[in-house]
């Protein structure tokens, strides 16, 4: 029987976020994508001020977490000023059978109907989280290197799936319990 994974919060702080090349950012995402698919990377995202990145990983011990971080293109390119790895103990909200919960929790009064709607795809969920962080459609489009129209089409599908009509309703309608994705 294998060792049970433990959750770790990994904080990467950039030396100078303005100096991080787009190619390194893309390589970082591609490095972590298969680990997310395997369930090793539970969630990730940039700090709102752009100064760094938070990753939540599930590995047997902190040595395994450090090994993963050493392979990150940000670290290899020496774009990181500080790395902090801390064991994270989940105290509330872990559904039975789940290894680590999603990054957001249900709101009081959310109806069963709201929870049973067609789920957002991982990409739609990423876009919705970016919207909640205050990013404009254009900023989201630039982040994914797509047109603003492509982002608008995704947002239309998000609104339809969540049965809302505007951005201000998004936080209350988000499908709580879905995981964060790269």
């Amino acid at each position: 029987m294998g060792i049970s994974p433990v959750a770790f919060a990994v904080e990467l702080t950039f030396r100078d976020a303005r100096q991080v090349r787009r190619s390194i950012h893309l390589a970082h995402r591609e490095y972590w994508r298969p680990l997310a698919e395997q369930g090793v990377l539970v969630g990730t995202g940039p700090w709102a001020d752009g100064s760094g990145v938070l990753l939540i990983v599930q590995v047997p011990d902190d040595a395994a977490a450090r090994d993963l971080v050493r392979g990150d293109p940000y670290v290899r390119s020496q774009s990181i000023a500080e790395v902090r790895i801390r064991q994270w103990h989940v105290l509330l909200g872990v559904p039975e059978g789940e290894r680590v919960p999603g990054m957001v929790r249900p709101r009081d009064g959310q109806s069963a109907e709201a929870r049973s709607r067609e789920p957002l795809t991982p990409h739609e969920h990423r876009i919705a989280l970016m919207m909640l962080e205050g990013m404009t459609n254009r900023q989201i489009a630039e982040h994914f290197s797509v047109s603003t129209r492509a982002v608008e089409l995704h947002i239309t599908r998000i609104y339809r799936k969540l049965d809302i009509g505007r951005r201000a309703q998004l936080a209350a309608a988000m499908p709580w319990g879905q995981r964060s994705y790269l």
Side-chain angles (χ1 to χ4, degrees), residues 161-177:
K161 286 180 177 183
L162 298 179
D163 194 28
I164 60 175
R166 59 184 192 278
R167 196 176 281 237
Q169 298 170 310
L170 183 60
M174 276 296 287
W176 307 112

Side-chain angles (χ1 to χ4, degrees), residues 88-103:
W88 182 47
H89 293 285
V90 181
L91 297 178
L92 296 173
V94 181
E96 183 91 19
E98 285 288 321
R99 292 165 66 190
V100 172
M103 306 320 308

Side-chain angles (χ1 to χ4, degrees), residues 27 36 84 89-90 95 98 106 124 138-139 144 146 150 155 170:
R84 292 182 70 185
H89 293 285
V90 181
E98 285 288 321
E124 290 166 344
R138 184 177 188 163
Q139 289 170 323
F144 290 114
V146 298
I155 291 172
L170 183 60

Side-chain angles (χ1 to χ4, degrees), residues 14-21 49-52 79:
F14 295 127
R15 290 187 191 285
D16 183 350
R18 295 169 297 182
Q19 298 297 320
V20 178
R21 292 189 325 268
D49 65 2
S51 65
S79 300

Side-chain angles (χ1 to χ4, degrees), residues 25-48:
H25 171 72
L26 294 173
H28 163 82
R29 287 178 46 198
E30 290 307 310
Y31 173 78
W32 288 102
R33 185 177 315 278
L35 294 165
E37 291 167 359
Q38 296 167 23
V40 172
L41 176 66
V42 177
T44 186
W47 295 120

Side-chain angles (χ1 to χ4, degrees), residues 8-15 28 31-32 47 51-57 62-87:
F8 289 89
V10 178
E11 300 174 58
L12 303 178
T13 304
F14 295 127
R15 290 187 191 285
H28 163 82
Y31 173 78
W32 288 102
W47 295 120
S51 65
V53 176
L54 173 70
L55 302 118
I56 304 294
V57 298
D62 77 346
R66 290 184 190 292
D67 286 344
L68 285 175
V69 170
R70 272 192 220 94
D72 185 294
Y74 285 146
V75 174
R76 289 193 333 252
S77 71
Q78 300 181 357
S79 300
I80 300 299
E82 180 182 7
V83 175
R84 292 182 70 185
I85 301 175
R86 295 183 275 180
Q87 190 170 349

